[in-house]
Amino acid sequence: WVEKMLNETNRLSELVQEWLDLTQLEVASNRVLKYETIQLYDLVQSVWQTLEPIANKKDVSLTYHGDHNLTIDADRSRLIQVFLNLLDNAIKHNPPQKEILVHVLPHNSSKTSPLKQVKIDVIDSGLGFNASDLPYIFQRLYRGDKSRMREQQNTALSSSDGSGLGLAIVEQIIQAHGGAISAKNHPEIGGAWLEIILPMNKN
């Protein structure tokens, strides 16, 4: 009973911290960011190493496509937070012995725009998002996604639904950097597809 109470207390503490984090990002915007030059490949690999013990239990692998030397100006700790959330979600919903794809490539929103951007795609091999949930994926406390939840229930690694704040925080971090994030299902693989657009240099 004490152990259950401790777990619940820790969960509530994390929820409060996530809510405070989200509020801080909304109020302060990019003023809370500490910019530095970051090599995206190294950052993604560092995050994957943190999550590798979880991924290994399902024999899930990560495949990275893109320039390993591509760099952007961003807040390292905040981007780590973004990829921890996205890759952790991808691992949870990925079938065993399947891969998670991360595609990174330069991107320009328009031919006339001088702004250099990078596009980052995180794609899993799961069942994808429920179409009715897609408009609400980034809303705080939203925990729909029934198709992905059904997939989890078929594995021994099922976990709680989470706080419902993870993707809301991810969106706020991306927006604070002057970027954008969208959620869809990949037309060929069928899994969940998170697409991030970020400026390569600080505005």
Side-chain angles (χ1 to χ4, degrees):
W1 179 82
V2 171
E3 186 176 349
K4 288 181 179 179
M5 288 295 294
L6 180 59
N7 289 338
E8 183 64 14
T9 300
N10 290 337
R11 188 188 70 82
L12 290 173
S13 177
E14 289 174 4
L15 178 61
V16 170
Q17 185 56 52
E18 286 178 343
W19 194 272
L20 290 172
D21 205 23
L22 184 57
T23 303
Q24 182 188 35
L25 283 164
E26 287 180 331
V27 172
S29 186
N30 64 356
R31 287 175 293 174
V32 302
L33 302 179
K34 298 177 181 178
Y35 281 85
E36 61 181 287
T37 300
I38 298 168
Q39 198 167 50
L40 277 174
Y41 174 77
D42 289 347
L43 185 139
V44 171
Q45 289 298 320
S46 174
V47 170
W48 185 254
Q49 287 176 7
T50 301
L51 296 171
E52 212 160 19
I54 303 171
N56 287 343
K57 291 180 180 179
K58 295 177 70 175
D59 197 15
V60 170
S61 60
L62 176 75
T63 299
Y64 183 101
H65 292 292
D67 184 354
H68 288 198
N69 297 315
L70 191 147
T71 62
I72 66 169
D73 294 332
D75 186 311
R76 180 181 298 274
S77 64
R78 290 298 187 179
L79 282 195
I80 287 174
Q81 195 174 358
V82 165
F83 284 105
L84 276 172
N85 189 292
L86 297 184
L87 292 177
D88 182 52
N89 283 344
I91 291 169
K92 287 177 181 175
H93 301 296
N94 217 60
Q97 301 179 337
K98 294 290 185 177
E99 65 179 357
I100 295 166
L101 304 176
V102 175
H103 293 266
V104 176
L105 67 159
H107 171 78
N108 283 320
S109 56
S110 70
K111 293 181 180 179
T112 59
S113 173
L115 180 65
K116 292 183 178 180
Q117 299 176 316
V118 61
K119 185 165 82 79
I120 305 165
D121 297 318
V122 179
I123 307 164
D124 67 44
S125 301
L127 297 179
F129 295 109
N130 189 317
S132 62
D133 292 330
L134 277 171
Y136 313 105
I137 292 298
F138 298 104
Q139 286 187 6
R140 62 185 67 188
L141 300 181
Y142 186 78
R143 297 190 298 180
D145 208 6
K146 301 294 190 264
S147 63
R148 287 159 71 80
M149 288 170 64
R150 281 199 300 273
E151 183 180 8
Q152 273 190 279
Q153 289 168 2
N154 292 329
T155 75
L157 295 170
S158 297
S159 60
S160 63
D161 298 341
S163 66
L165 290 175
L167 287 179
I169 291 174
V170 165
E171 184 182 50
Q172 284 297 322
I173 292 172
I174 297 301
Q175 289 178 350
H177 280 84
I181 183 170
S182 60
K184 61 192 87 172
N185 292 323
H186 197 276
E188 297 174 6
I189 299 173
W193 178 8
L194 280 301
E195 182 184 84
I196 299 170
I197 304 293
L198 281 172
M200 294 182 72
N201 304 108
K202 183 180 178 182
N203 296 334

